[in-house]
Amino acid sequence: MCGIVGIVNHGKISIKNDLLKSLKRLEYRGYDSVGYATLEGKVEKEIGEISKFIDQIQDSTTSCAISHTRWATHGGVTKTNSHPHWDCKKNIFTVHNGIIENYQELKTELINKGHVFITETDSEVISHFLEEELKSKNMMDAIKSFINRIEGTYAILVIEKGINKIYAIKKDSPLVLGIGRDRFYLASDIYAFSDSTNKAIFFEDGEFAVVDPDMYTFYNCDGKEIKKEIYDFTWVIPQEESVRDYPHYMLKEIHEQPIASQRLINSLDGEQHDKINKIAELVKKSNRVVFTAAGSSYYASLLGVYFLNRAGINAHTLIASEFQNFMLVDKNTLFIAISQSGETMDVVTATKWAKERGAKIVSLVNVPHSTIQRMSDISLEIHAGPEICVAATKTFTNQVVSLLYLSHLLGFSVNMKTIPSKIDYVIKENEEAIKRLADELYEKKDIYIIGRGLSYPPSREIALKLKEISYIHAEGMMGGELKHGTIALIEPGTPVIALIPGKDFDMYSNAKEVEARGAKVITIANMMDSDFKMDITINDGKFSILAVIIGQLLTYYIAKKKGLPIDKPRNLAKSVTVK
Ligand code: F6R
């Protein structure tokens, strides 16, 4: 994960108003610590969030600087372990996103040659490796040796003290050059500079570039100059309510779901209609559909499997990090990657793997121009708008809406038109009751959520929300599986949320079984006794979205009652770009 931004400018840039302002836009990639280095050799870094850092430091100007926002992998969250890192003479400064897998071996070699390391990170090896190579080579050749020798994933920016240039190197972690009016940006993604230019060049694996205020030059891993295409991107940020009306982004984003789902449905009826029809044709032509995704997006894909199976389509899904271990694909497979960010490393890796085996690649992403979108034969945009809270809420809903729409084209019966109004109803009618329930549950250690069929993926998604945002151990599971072991954990008062779609009597019985053992059962149902109002009298898939929204609100109000950092929960990042 981690976000990196470098700027090379003709005149001076402000560290606070240019460099760190851009970096702030990448904070969703990690917020453990922040730091920057300038060509003058000035370095400042600190643990914590970027806004706090901006308030702490004095502004200064430079014409060339690199910066980093960290999600710790190797080495604890300390000031020393924060990027940038440097070499022994403090001449070479580097920021890195990714993991240097063979760093132990390289570090030992470099220590034997007299280098002194001061951090516990894998990344520090980069500056020392370049320093060593520069004893006998120029920077271009040192970078070539680096690419040959280093194993792992990386997007790296390098500056040398006194030289107005940034060297940028990429393998498996995203990196893009932004072409501004008077400056060049190097960043983890276009979002860093999309307020000042819409021209960008994406790095491919094994490429590096040398960028000074006048020009940029791209090279392949052998150091051969290459021509790259300039990409003109559009970035339309939908008008949404201001966060000022809400205490947290999470609540704002939950409340945006009627608008966001309507925007998506309009686009699927309109400008994205041809695209989704083409995807439906690909589904029909393929032998089977295989989804992959991570986290919440995986639970959306599980619903996709449910809907497509109901439409008679042979569909499967598997968590991206285990995809190669448990799944086979071939040229008759339609592979569908689902990813809000379009950057999740596990999903990128699985997609590459499927592509190499000849599968057709379709993706559902929220962030346009993302890596996964660029790898796809067809990519549908879910139009949820920017999601700032680390937890997926409106993007999960819009992923499910896209899958419902696709399944509907293939024969699954659902009334798409009423989705936004039903969401609106569920939020308005239940929010007060949910606050009261949050007051009852916030001190609980464990919560179980059970579902079946249509309500099984929502049980997993609600459990994930409770874990990541309200820090309560929660398990989402199949109602039918309880009696095979987990029911032993049910004690008097253990909260069990039972998701009962339609007249699912088996699910109802599973709720009764735990109730008989003293559990505090809370029901989310649309045609049977329910603790919440739903206003859906048919069983057409919408239950899954509405049940999750009740779970999102419950999570939010529990976390609020506990005074937790709702939008930026501990240890997490919004874009997970490491394996
Ligand atoms: C949970 C959450 C994560 C993401 C997961 C995949 O609220 O946000 O579990 O769903 O990291 O991210 P994307 O969808 O960007 O691939």
Side-chain angles (χ1 to χ4, degrees):
M1 348 254 251
C2 308
I4 59 176
V5 176
I7 302 180
V8 200
N9 198 60
H10 257 294
K12 296 281 186 196
I13 56 154
S14 146
I15 292 296
K16 282 190 181 193
N17 301 326
D18 294 303
L19 187 70
L20 297 177
K21 188 174 143 231
S22 275
L23 189 69
K24 175 100 184 89
R25 298 167 72 106
L26 300 188
E27 203 171 27
Y28 68 88
R29 305 179 75 91
Y31 37 82
D32 286 336
S33 63
V34 52
Y36 75 89
T38 70
L39 93 117
E40 291 81 13
K42 178 174 183 194
V43 186
E44 285 189 275
K45 47 189 186 174
E46 199 46 81
I47 56 171
E49 294 175 17
I50 300 176
S51 313
K52 206 174 97 204
F53 183 66
I54 291 177
D55 289 345
Q56 273 169 11
I57 62 167
Q58 291 265 317
D59 198 14
S60 57
T61 60
T62 182
S63 57
C64 178
I66 55 175
S67 60
H68 188 272
T69 180
R70 181 170 187 237
W71 184 83
T73 59
H74 294 57
V77 179
T78 63
K79 185 171 170 174
T80 308
N81 287 337
S82 311
H83 298 224
H85 299 300
W86 49 80
D87 61 335
C88 296
K89 297 206 189 77
K90 239 184 162 183
N91 269 334
I92 300 163
F93 300 91
T94 52
V95 290
H96 169 221
N97 168 29
I99 292 176
I100 306 297
E101 286 164 7
N102 57 343
Y103 80 101
Q104 287 286 17
E105 171 195 324
L106 294 164
K107 192 168 168 175
T108 309
E109 277 177 29
L110 289 161
I111 288 173
N112 289 340
K113 289 179 182 162
H115 289 261
V116 178
F117 283 75
I118 54 176
T119 80
E120 302 154 334
T121 67
D122 55 326
S123 310
E124 192 186 4
V125 86
I126 303 165
S127 310
H128 291 279
F129 182 92
L130 293 173
E131 179 182 35
E132 187 60 33
E133 293 296 303
L134 285 169
K135 287 180 183 164
S136 57
K137 297 180 176 126
N138 62 22
M139 185 59 102
M140 288 275 293
D141 288 332
I143 291 175
K144 280 194 278 172
S145 313
F146 175 86
I147 295 174
N148 276 329
R149 192 63 213 284
I150 299 284
E151 284 161 28
T153 59
Y154 46 84
I156 296 168
L157 303 181
V158 183
I159 56 173
E160 276 183 282
K161 193 169 172 185
I163 300 179
N164 202 4
K165 261 182 199 168
I166 298 182
Y167 300 89
I169 323 168
K170 173 215 155 76
K171 185 179 157 259
D172 287 330
S173 297
L175 187 60
V176 60
L177 170 84
I179 306 172
R181 212 164 32 85
D182 57 351
R183 67 187 62 165
F184 294 115
Y185 296 86
L186 288 143
S188 300
D189 67 46
I190 55 175
Y191 196 42
F193 49 76
S194 58
D195 58 336
S196 50
T197 175
N198 62 349
K199 293 199 182 332
I201 299 179
F202 291 97
F203 286 69
E204 297 302 329
D205 286 343
E207 291 179 355
F208 68 96
V210 184
V211 184
D212 66 30
D214 295 312
M215 63 185 288
Y216 57 84
T217 316
F218 276 79
Y219 301 91
N220 68 13
C221 54
D222 301 321
K224 199 162 161 283
E225 193 176 325
I226 47 174
K227 289 274 157 279
K228 297 276 294 179
E229 205 181 317
I230 299 180
Y231 195 79
D232 241 312
F233 64 89
T234 48
W235 185 283
V236 184
I237 296 187
Q239 289 300 308
E240 315 264 20
E241 289 169 273
S242 156
V243 74
R244 278 194 296 274
D245 302 330
Y246 293 94
H248 298 97
Y249 277 104
M250 183 174 183
L251 191 62
K252 169 180 180 281
E253 288 160 3
I254 292 172
H255 277 253
E256 269 167 17
Q257 291 178 103
I259 297 180
S261 57
Q262 185 64 62
R263 181 166 56 233
L264 172 61
I265 294 167
N266 292 348
S267 121
L268 294 173
D269 285 340
E271 82 275 4
Q272 292 204 98
H273 199 63
D274 276 358
K275 244 199 271 185
I276 194 142
N277 268 330
K278 279 192 189 132
I279 298 173
E281 286 311 311
L282 286 178
V283 170
K284 284 188 211 154
K285 274 193 223 146
S286 62
N287 282 357
R288 60 183 196 137
V289 175
V290 172
F291 290 95
T292 202
S296 296
S297 301
Y298 168 72
Y299 301 129
S301 78
L302 211 47
L303 281 166
V305 171
Y306 178 89
F307 303 144
L308 286 179
N309 284 355
R310 298 278 116 9
I313 308 290
N314 179 6
H316 308 266
T317 184
L318 191 61
I319 293 271
S321 58
E322 289 293 337
F323 196 82
Q324 289 107 306
N325 296 334
F326 293 97
M327 193 64 90
L328 286 177
V329 297
D330 60 22
K331 62 179 178 16
N332 298 315
T333 309
L334 178 66
F335 175 94
I336 306 185
I338 305 186
S339 175
Q340 184 286 128
S341 61
E343 298 293 348
T344 301
M345 172 73 88
D346 292 331
V347 184
V348 172
T349 308
T351 308
K352 266 190 198 159
W353 188 82
K355 207 177 162 101
E356 280 159 16
R357 277 150 190 81
K360 268 258 174 292
I361 310 293
V362 165
S363 62
L364 263 61
V365 300
N366 191 41
V367 178
H369 315 291
S370 50
T371 302
I372 292 168
Q373 179 166 85
R374 286 182 284 115
M375 289 167 76
S376 308
D377 296 303
I378 307 182
S379 182
L380 207 68
E381 288 174 17
I382 61 163
H383 288 314
E387 190 174 64
I388 309 297
C389 175
V390 160
T393 52
K394 60 178 179 167
T395 56
F396 171 83
T397 292
N398 274 20
Q399 289 167 344
V400 179
V401 170
S402 313
L403 293 164
L404 271 174
Y405 199 108
L406 176 65
S407 309
H408 182 51
L409 291 178
L410 291 158
F412 180 73
S413 165
V414 50
N415 181 354
M416 297 296 302
K417 284 199 170 43
T418 58
I419 293 175
S421 60
K422 301 290 179 193
I423 296 177
D424 197 43
Y425 177 91
V426 158
I427 297 175
K428 287 202 174 107
E429 292 297 317
N430 296 302
E431 201 158 357
E432 288 309 313
I434 293 171
K435 281 184 200 169
R436 287 194 295 274
L437 181 62
D439 288 348
E440 261 182 73
L441 297 185
Y442 78 102
E443 285 176 318
K444 296 284 181 191
K445 289 258 172 304
D446 311 283
I447 299 182
Y448 295 88
I449 306 100
I450 53 174
R452 239 176 211 269
L454 180 63
S455 70
Y456 166 62
S459 73
R460 303 282 306 271
E461 171 59 8
I462 295 172
L464 181 62
K465 292 287 94 89
L466 284 166
K467 284 185 274 195
E468 66 178 333
I469 303 298
S470 57
Y471 301 168
I472 293 180
H473 166 251
E475 257 190 77
M477 58 180 307
M478 297 166 183
E481 271 296 289
L482 263 182
K483 57 187 174 292
H484 297 290
T486 310
I487 203 162
L489 295 172
I490 304 297
E491 291 173 355
T494 306
V496 178
I497 304 177
L499 311 181
I500 314 178
K503 295 206 162 142
D504 188 332
F505 289 108
D506 289 335
M507 193 52 236
Y508 183 75
S509 303
N510 297 145
K512 286 285 165 202
E513 285 153 17
V514 285
E515 197 176 66
R517 282 150 183 92
K520 177 187 167 45
V521 174
I522 299 138
T523 49
I524 301 181
N526 63 324
M527 290 188 209
M528 298 181 123
D529 277 354
S530 177
D531 288 302
F532 303 99
K533 296 185 190 158
M534 272 195 154
D535 189 33
I536 39 171
T537 47
I538 45 165
N539 215 5
D540 66 356
K542 283 197 277 288
F543 178 90
S544 58
I545 295 175
L546 303 180
V548 167
I549 290 173
I550 292 170
Q552 293 169 353
L553 283 166
L554 180 63
T555 298
Y556 173 79
Y557 284 110
I558 291 178
K560 190 161 181 233
K561 180 94 188 160
K562 290 171 88 168
L564 298 175
I566 292 177
D567 288 331
K568 288 184 185 148
R570 69 180 172 219
N571 303 340
L572 293 176
K574 185 125 189 104
S575 185
V576 184
T577 58
V578 290
K579 279 190 198 170

